[in-house]
Amino acid sequence: MERGDAMSDESDSDSVAESSEGFNSKSVALRAQKKVLSRMSTRKVAKTFMDDTTADLMDHLYRIARNHSGNKKEAEKVMKDAVKIVVKIGILFRNEQFNAEELRLANDFVRKFRNLAMTVVSFYEVDFTYDKMFLVRTLAECREMLHRLIRGHLTEKSHGRIDHVFNFFGDGAFLDAVFQRESPHRKQLGLIVKDLHTLMDEVEPAQT
């Protein structure tokens, strides 16, 4: 993103319930991380909690969102929401907040999203393979899995962020504009594909 907006709206609102015994060190650590998160700009958050490749991919997505919508503020907001979702789920995972069922769901999400990434690469690299309805359907499935994953951990505000991000990137007109052969976004899409290749080489879903 071109500039960082302060993340000041959720210092303590997305919290995990403390144990019945009162003090819980993991819960305290989790809230502390969220408080730090709430005071950092989007760009600083991306650099702190994401690897370089993922942060670069987010920047390329931002440029496509900005150019497609013609609305810089909306593009910044949708990407800020995307960054917050990624970072908060990462914080929950690192603090061992997910139970066994949720971890299985998270692994299923990784598999589905990896398949989605491979499909995006194929659509870019192989002519006449673009399938809008497949992308729309798969993105909708990913959205639902994220809603299920964060249920019981984050607030409705985070559910709203998920909907905002997927409504934007799962819109058929947006997908058509990005994947048409003479798309004005093709250069940025190529950079995203390069990042996806790197991430798919590095990230494998856990075996179950």
Side-chain angles (χ1 to χ4, degrees):
M1 278 67 64
E2 299 298 324
R3 62 179 176 84
D5 292 333
M7 299 166 116
S8 58
D9 57 340
E10 272 192 289
S11 58
D12 295 306
S13 60
D14 280 346
S15 60
V16 175
E18 292 189 19
S19 69
S20 58
E21 297 178 357
F23 178 79
N24 181 291
S25 59
K26 287 183 179 179
S27 179
V28 172
L30 185 63
R31 289 202 308 274
Q33 289 181 67
K34 288 176 179 177
K35 190 168 185 179
V36 171
L37 176 64
S38 73
R39 295 177 179 179
M40 296 171 68
S41 70
T42 304
R43 179 171 290 279
K44 286 182 179 179
V45 166
K47 287 183 177 180
T48 302
F49 292 93
M50 292 181 182
D51 61 87
D52 290 342
T53 303
T54 302
D56 287 345
L57 189 151
M58 290 288 197
D59 283 345
H60 300 320
L61 275 175
Y62 161 72
R63 294 184 184 100
I64 289 180
R66 180 193 62 193
N67 294 338
H68 173 74
S69 67
N71 186 330
K72 182 180 178 183
K73 287 186 177 180
E74 170 60 13
E76 288 175 349
K77 188 174 189 307
V78 75
M79 292 313 304
K80 184 165 71 170
D81 284 349
V83 168
K84 284 189 174 184
I85 292 165
V86 171
V87 169
K88 288 191 174 188
I89 290 175
I91 289 174
L92 289 169
F93 180 79
R94 285 195 297 274
N95 284 273
E96 300 178 358
Q97 296 297 309
F98 295 128
N99 61 32
E101 181 179 352
E102 290 166 339
L103 288 173
R104 285 192 292 271
L105 176 61
N107 194 52
D108 289 343
F109 173 83
V110 171
R111 292 180 187 277
K112 183 171 288 293
F113 202 80
R114 180 182 173 84
N115 182 55
L116 176 64
M118 292 172 65
T119 303
V120 167
V121 169
S122 175
F123 289 170
Y124 174 79
E125 295 180 344
V126 183
D127 289 342
F128 309 114
T129 56
Y130 168 57
D131 184 341
K132 174 172 66 177
M133 294 314 300
F134 174 83
L135 289 181
V136 169
R137 182 174 65 253
T138 305
L139 285 167
E141 291 169 353
C142 288
R143 178 211 303 246
E144 177 57 26
M145 293 173 83
L146 286 181
H147 278 308
R148 288 165 54 198
L149 183 63
I150 71 169
R151 193 174 298 148
H153 295 286
L154 302 179
T155 66
E156 285 303 314
K157 185 174 288 187
S158 287
H159 285 283
R161 288 194 173 103
I162 289 173
D163 285 335
H164 184 214
V165 170
F166 280 88
N167 284 341
F168 188 95
F169 290 110
D171 176 68
F174 171 81
L175 296 171
D176 283 343
V178 170
F179 285 98
Q180 63 182 342
R181 184 61 190 173
E182 302 302 322
S183 170
H185 312 299
R186 189 158 181 82
K187 178 180 179 181
Q188 292 297 329
L189 181 58
L191 294 172
I192 288 172
V193 166
K194 181 180 177 182
D195 291 335
L196 288 175
H197 273 300
T198 300
L199 291 172
M200 286 189 292
D201 288 341
E202 293 175 350
V203 179
E204 291 284 351
Q207 298 299 315
T208 57

